[in-house]
Amino acid sequence: THKSDIDFETIENAPAKLTIIDATGHVVQQLFSGQLTTGKHTISFEKEKVAVGTYFLVFETPTIRKAVRMEVR
């Protein structure tokens, strides 16, 4: 398989979601949904489950929403 690791850090204990969306806002894949503790985390992403293209990786908690552009090749 062709896996990529996504590393991120949280500053609070909170429910969180990590989602891949396409340019139209359609959810392509939900990578994580659940409770996270403060600190560093790693989520594995299987690239072959999505088509080649440009996507946005969206991280959400009750107090933050961050989107990062991502290229799948």
Side-chain angles (χ1 to χ4, degrees):
T1 64
H2 296 92
K3 288 187 178 183
S4 289
D5 286 338
I6 300 167
D7 298 317
F8 60 99
E9 189 169 353
T10 59
I11 59 170
E12 62 185 342
N13 293 332
K17 289 193 301 185
L18 189 62
T19 309
I20 297 172
I21 62 170
D22 64 18
T24 66
H26 175 75
V27 173
V28 175
Q29 189 175 357
Q30 183 88 38
L31 298 177
F32 179 83
S33 180
Q35 189 74 22
L36 285 177
T37 57
T38 302
K40 295 181 180 182
H41 303 277
T42 300
I43 302 285
S44 291
F45 165 56
E46 295 180 33
K47 293 189 286 186
E48 68 264 4
K49 290 189 176 183
V50 298
V52 170
T54 301
Y55 298 92
F56 293 91
L57 182 62
V58 181
F59 177 72
E60 296 176 86
T61 71
T63 60
I64 197 168
R65 184 174 197 269
K66 183 173 183 179
V68 177
R69 185 177 160 152
M70 175 177 78
E71 298 286 331
V72 175
R73 298 176 186 197

